[in-house]
Amino acid sequence: MNKKAFIFDLDGVIVDTAKYHFLAWQKIAAELGIEFTPEHNEELKGVSRVRSLDLILELGRMTASQQDKDRWLKQKNEDYLSYLVHMDQSEILPGVLHILQFLKEHHQPIALGSASKNARPILEKTGIIHYFDAIVDGNDVTNAKPDPEVFLQAARQIGATNQNAIVFEDSVAGIQAANIAGMISIGIGEAGILKEAQYNFPDFVHIDTSFIEYIIKK
Ligand code: B16
Ligand code: MG
């Protein structure tokens, strides 16, 4: 059997931090007089912090100095982190722990492939960091999804080929990154949005362990 690497995105796959990103970005947008809706927030999923700010400024047809941008980025992250203070295991999305446990019991390597620079504290706070054999996040990569760098590094750290890497993703950019790398892409969320994924599930509750067994043997 070929060595697999089960790579999990973080925000929107393991935890629902998108709501906190939204609240923090909304404050910045309000300060700048830019209307920022939950629909706009969809476009920021999986996108780096720096790029997210640029997208919000584009939305308001604004340009800004690097100094101002740095200030807003700092402010956004401080605000975002304030929402994470009370985070615990209860914020892990339904069904995720069951699959992590199943993979561990079957001695399958698990990796994180996230754009977030706050990934490690989130995994610690939710008490699941010990499941991960490799953690690659926004601090380790220079190219954002849909560039596959984050997933390539994760598979390399595990020692699996790209063909044997399986990526769980909730963002279009993340699915594209997995596909570009020749990995198995599994969309978590709306199939209509994640149409490019090889497999689609609304959430982890709908992933049967027989499907995971099939992927392990593939
Ligand atoms: P941070 P993922 C991404 O995480 C989020 O989806 C995206 O909304 C966020 O802007 C990005 O991380 C950067 O996060 O500000 O914490 O560095 O989905 O790739 O796990
Ligand atoms: Mg995500």
Side-chain angles (χ1 to χ4, degrees), residues 8-13 17-18 21 25 41 44-50 52 76-77 80-81 84 112-119 122 138-139 145 150-151 169-171:
F8 289 73
D9 172 53
L10 180 66
D11 293 339
V13 167
T17 38
H21 282 296
W25 281 129
N41 194 51
L44 306 190
K45 284 190 178 172
V47 175
S48 73
R49 199 181 310 164
V50 170
S52 296
K76 186 268 170 181
N77 198 47
Y80 174 67
L81 290 177
L84 302 187
L112 190 86
S114 166
S116 175
K117 293 189 171 180
N118 298 300
I122 292 174
N139 300 296
K145 301 166 188 174
V150 67
F151 298 142
E169 253 293 347
D170 71 314
S171 74

Side-chain angles (χ1 to χ4, degrees), residues 34 122 141 155 196 218:
I34 300 172
I122 292 174
V141 296
E196 294 169 58
K218 210 167 150 39

Side-chain angles (χ1 to χ4, degrees), residues 12-145:
V13 167
I14 295 178
V15 284
D16 180 18
T17 38
K19 60 188 177 202
Y20 301 137
H21 282 296
F22 174 65
L23 290 173
W25 281 129
Q26 208 181 28
K27 268 194 200 169
I28 302 282
E31 253 180 54
L32 302 177
I34 300 172
E35 196 197 352
F36 182 65
T37 64
E39 287 70 41
H40 294 134
N41 194 51
E42 281 300 308
E43 285 161 44
L44 306 190
K45 284 190 178 172
V47 175
S48 73
R49 199 181 310 164
V50 170
R51 180 74 191 127
S52 296
L53 177 61
D54 284 341
L55 288 173
I56 291 171
L57 292 174
E58 277 172 30
L59 192 68
R61 295 176 209 285
M62 269 182 74
T63 51
S65 68
Q66 195 52 51
Q67 205 185 1
D68 279 342
K69 284 189 191 183
D70 289 344
R71 188 163 46 82
W72 295 326
L73 288 169
K74 189 167 171 276
Q75 199 180 318
K76 186 268 170 181
N77 198 47
E78 282 171 2
D79 197 30
Y80 174 67
L81 290 177
S82 74
Y83 295 116
L84 302 187
V85 168
H86 303 293
M87 194 169 210
D88 60 21
Q89 205 163 74
S90 67
E91 297 219 29
I92 298 174
L93 287 167
V96 172
L97 269 179
H98 180 57
I99 297 297
L100 287 174
Q101 193 59 40
F102 184 83
L103 289 169
K104 264 285 163 269
E105 280 163 13
H106 290 75
H107 311 290
Q108 296 302 308
I110 302 173
L112 190 86
S114 166
S116 175
K117 293 189 171 180
N118 298 300
R120 277 177 187 270
I122 292 174
L123 292 180
E124 275 162 10
K125 277 178 168 297
T126 50
I128 55 172
I129 198 158
H130 61 281
Y131 282 104
F132 293 85
D133 303 291
I135 295 174
V136 184
D137 63 23
N139 300 296
D140 305 307
V141 296
T142 42
N143 302 304
K145 301 166 188 174

Side-chain angles (χ1 to χ4, degrees), residues 166-209:
I166 302 98
V167 174
F168 297 101
E169 253 293 347
D170 71 314
S171 74
V172 174
I175 291 294
Q176 289 170 342
N179 290 342
I180 290 167
M183 298 176 172
I184 297 172
S185 56
I186 304 184
I188 304 292
E190 273 186 53
I193 295 175
L194 305 173
K195 330 183 234 298
E196 294 169 58
Q198 258 171 281
Y199 301 94
N200 289 91
F201 294 96
D203 52 41
F204 276 86
V205 176
H206 287 83
I207 302 185
D208 203 272
T209 48

